[in-house]
Amino acid sequence: TFSYLKLANSITTATEDKEEANESSILSALPRGIPPTFSILNHATIPADGVPSSLLKNTLPLDIITRLQLTHQNLTLPTALMMITAMQEDEDEDEPGYKFEYTSQSKARKDCRRGVILIHRGPLGIDAEGNEFFHDDRMSVGRVGDRVYPGDVIAIQTRMTGVKYINSPSDDTHHSSAPFHLPVVYQDDYFAIVNKPEGVVVFGHKNGGYGRNTVKSTLPYALDPPKVGTFSVMRRASPVHRLDRATSGLLVVAKTKPAMQELSRQFKERRVKKTYTAIVSGKIQEPSETSITSKQAQELGVCIENSEEALWQIIDDDLENQSAVTIWRPLKQWPLEHAWNNTATMVELKPKTGRYHQLRRHMAWNSECPILGDKKYDGGGNAKLLRENGLFLCSNKVTLEHPYFNTANGRKEWVEMKNKGIDPTEFLLRNNFEDGKVRVSEENGVVYIHAEINLPDKFYDF
């Protein structure tokens, strides 16, 4: 698989100067690009044995492969960018960071000509603390004609100053209305939480088949721009993670580059606490050997909203040789024709990890009660009769640390508001948002945002 840079605060360049802690202290963690006014946002390493030959043949026509003399171990830079984009579809849905979105040779060539693609020849360095860093003498700005080989690292960089936030379609879109309605559950100058409808993808498909019908394309219409003077705003707000197309619910979005880095780090370190609700087919079993208490669930790092000593179930079963842990409990059951045992069960799910289709696979394979409407894992048969209303899986709660008000400057601003008699928690909730309930808390000096939405109407139709 490809290896991605996740914007971790430990990453530095080999020649990066030490700077005093200030408003850009978070951004100083980003590796410097070429020239130094650019910073690296993400990278991918070409696998040691090259890209899968089948992927190359499925992505590009044979005449192009022949004309460019491409092999799975010898690619042009634009082709390598397309291969990385295609490989992202097998990532965990919650993997954070800027994404490679090169669905065509023309788009890849355009960014190469813009100077935002770097090539690092060979593997990154590892410092004494085990952190990766870029060797300046191995990096160069990628050109359209450059060749890429196994072990090379491809990076995306961006200019960290002078960017413009777009709150309306860019001049080249020629559209005056949003592709679809995207409810905003919470937003401030630094990040937002939106309610993704089911049936909509977060990022574009590798073949470009979704056009404007993506969350990323709709964000400029839905969100307000940060106030003038906000540090290092992004030209366009960007989702920090992903949800499956068929899954609805809460999606976290960054408006500034420091917020993107900090939120990405929280997802990577599994500090974002998420809750899903699903309806599964069958009378789900609760084996005593996999039963845990609320306290034990909290110790595992999932968010338990109250102190009641409820019993939970734990599924600890690796997926693709990676740890995958889901905490769940049943909420209610009722008769349902065509369901397994003619019974449907509503369950509350709290993933500790975020592997690809983790909740769907754990419910279908481990609990033997697939989620209603899951065409991929419901097993067919009578389950097909329960697919007409889509997948019954919703990300309905999330808790995370505020990406700005927990920084040095953010804490200073927080205290200043208190000194002026302003309640900062009320300040963050001064706007009325739709389709949700938001709470701000300060616990042990850490500011948290808690967001919750109602389940889609179809959940109540039963």
Side-chain angles (χ1 to χ4, degrees):
T1 61
F2 287 101
S3 172
Y4 293 101
L5 170 64
K6 299 306 180 186
L7 310 176
N9 65 347
S10 59
I11 299 177
T12 60
T13 61
T15 62
E16 185 173 10
D17 297 331
K18 300 297 182 181
E19 300 178 346
E20 293 183 357
N22 53 28
E23 190 166 35
S24 63
S25 61
I26 294 179
L27 282 177
S28 67
L30 291 173
R32 289 182 181 174
I34 302 174
T37 53
F38 282 69
S39 291
I40 296 171
L41 299 175
N42 202 353
H43 78 255
T45 301
I46 304 299
D49 55 354
V51 302
S53 297
S54 58
L55 181 64
L56 179 62
K57 294 176 181 177
N58 290 336
T59 305
L60 291 174
L62 181 59
D63 62 324
I64 293 181
I65 294 175
T66 302
R67 176 168 55 84
L68 298 178
Q69 297 181 335
L70 303 174
T71 72
H72 70 292
Q73 294 186 328
N74 185 338
L75 305 168
T76 60
L77 180 55
T79 302
L81 291 169
M82 293 182 67
M83 296 297 99
I84 294 169
T85 300
M87 291 291 286
Q88 281 182 163
E89 292 216 328
D90 294 328
E91 277 189 357
D92 302 344
E93 68 174 33
D94 287 326
E95 282 297 303
Y98 288 82
K99 305 298 179 184
F100 284 78
E101 297 183 76
Y102 297 97
T103 58
S104 67
Q105 288 274 325
S106 60
K107 186 178 188 306
R109 292 191 191 103
K110 180 179 179 181
D111 272 8
C112 291
R113 296 186 183 107
R114 289 177 56 221
V116 298
I117 305 299
L118 299 178
I119 299 177
H120 183 283
R121 295 299 182 185
L124 301 183
I126 305 293
D127 64 20
E129 297 179 355
N131 300 313
E132 293 180 322
F133 66 86
F134 287 79
H135 293 280
D136 290 346
D137 58 353
R138 296 186 187 178
M139 279 201 304
S140 62
V141 177
R143 299 169 297 181
V144 172
D146 287 339
R147 308 297 287 200
V148 178
Y149 308 98
D152 287 345
V153 179
I154 313 301
I156 301 174
Q157 65 173 2
T158 187
R159 187 186 299 275
M160 301 310 287
T161 58
V163 294
K164 180 181 178 183
Y165 185 90
I166 305 296
N167 187 42
S168 59
S170 58
D171 293 339
D172 59 355
T173 61
H174 305 294
H175 296 289
S176 60
S177 60
F180 56 89
H181 177 57
L182 183 66
V184 178
V185 178
Y186 173 82
Q187 68 169 318
D188 55 33
D189 292 323
Y190 310 97
F191 85 110
I193 303 174
V194 299
N195 183 0
K196 185 190 88 70
E198 66 174 302
V200 174
V201 297
V202 176
F203 298 96
H205 190 273
K206 65 180 180 181
N207 296 320
Y210 295 112
R212 298 174 63 234
N213 198 40
T214 68
V215 172
K216 187 173 182 180
S217 296
T218 306
L219 288 174
Y221 301 88
L223 300 181
D224 297 328
K227 65 184 178 184
V228 175
T230 301
F231 181 70
S232 194
V233 298
M234 299 169 64
R235 185 174 183 271
R236 284 181 182 267
S238 179
V240 180
H241 62 117
R242 292 185 290 181
L243 293 175
D244 291 338
R245 179 185 181 184
T247 304
S248 63
L250 298 172
L251 185 74
V252 181
V253 175
K255 291 186 176 184
T256 70
K257 292 170 184 177
M260 171 61 85
Q261 182 197 356
E262 171 55 26
L263 292 167
S264 295
R265 180 163 52 231
Q266 290 186 41
F267 273 97
K268 178 188 177 184
E269 296 173 355
R270 309 301 180 192
R271 286 153 49 201
V272 179
K273 313 301 182 185
K274 298 168 294 175
T275 299
Y276 292 74
T277 300
I279 297 178
V280 301
S281 176
K283 186 176 182 180
I284 198 164
Q285 301 299 306
E286 300 177 73
S288 58
E289 60 269 23
T290 55
S291 180
I292 61 174
T293 64
S294 294
K295 182 179 179 180
Q296 290 173 316
Q298 287 177 318
E299 290 172 349
L300 287 170
V302 300
C303 181
I304 305 298
E305 290 83 2
N306 51 54
S307 59
E308 67 179 41
E309 194 55 33
L311 290 179
W312 296 77
Q313 287 287 310
I314 180 172
I315 298 174
D316 187 352
D317 191 13
D318 292 0
L319 296 171
E320 283 79 46
N321 297 316
Q322 291 183 301
S323 173
V325 179
T326 301
I327 312 297
W328 67 272
R329 67 171 177 171
L331 299 177
K332 61 180 69 175
Q333 292 182 341
W334 60 91
L336 179 64
E337 188 178 4
H338 305 306
W340 184 252
N341 300 128
N342 289 319
T343 302
T345 305
M346 181 178 287
V347 294
E348 186 176 17
L349 302 150
K350 295 180 180 288
K352 176 178 171 61
T353 54
R355 306 305 175 202
Y356 179 69
H357 290 177
Q358 174 178 316
L359 300 181
R360 296 164 63 180
R361 292 196 281 180
H362 273 175
M363 286 294 99
W365 297 349
N366 296 82
S367 296
E368 299 183 347
C369 288
I371 298 174
L372 290 187
D374 195 336
K375 299 177 181 179
K376 190 175 183 70
Y377 302 109
D378 66 10
N382 284 340
K384 293 181 179 180
L385 302 175
L386 299 171
R387 293 177 178 176
E388 62 180 355
N389 292 315
L391 184 71
F392 280 77
L393 178 62
C394 177
S395 173
N396 60 310
K397 297 178 185 178
V398 67
T399 295
L400 52 82
E401 300 166 28
H402 196 283
Y404 173 70
F405 286 107
N406 291 302
T407 65
N409 284 298
R411 292 304 301 168
K412 181 179 178 182
E413 186 175 330
W414 188 268
V415 172
E416 287 176 350
M417 282 191 283
K418 287 184 175 181
N419 292 339
K420 294 178 181 178
I422 301 172
D423 185 341
T425 60
E426 292 184 1
F427 174 79
L428 291 182
L429 299 176
R430 63 193 183 279
N431 297 317
N432 293 319
F433 303 111
E434 56 183 315
D435 197 39
K437 179 173 64 176
V438 180
R439 179 171 63 88
V440 181
S441 69
E442 185 178 9
E443 304 168 21
N444 299 319
V446 179
V447 179
Y448 292 92
I449 302 293
H450 312 261
E452 180 178 355
I453 55 173
N454 293 326
L455 296 173
D457 291 341
K458 69 178 186 179
F459 277 71
Y460 302 103
D461 289 344
F462 283 103

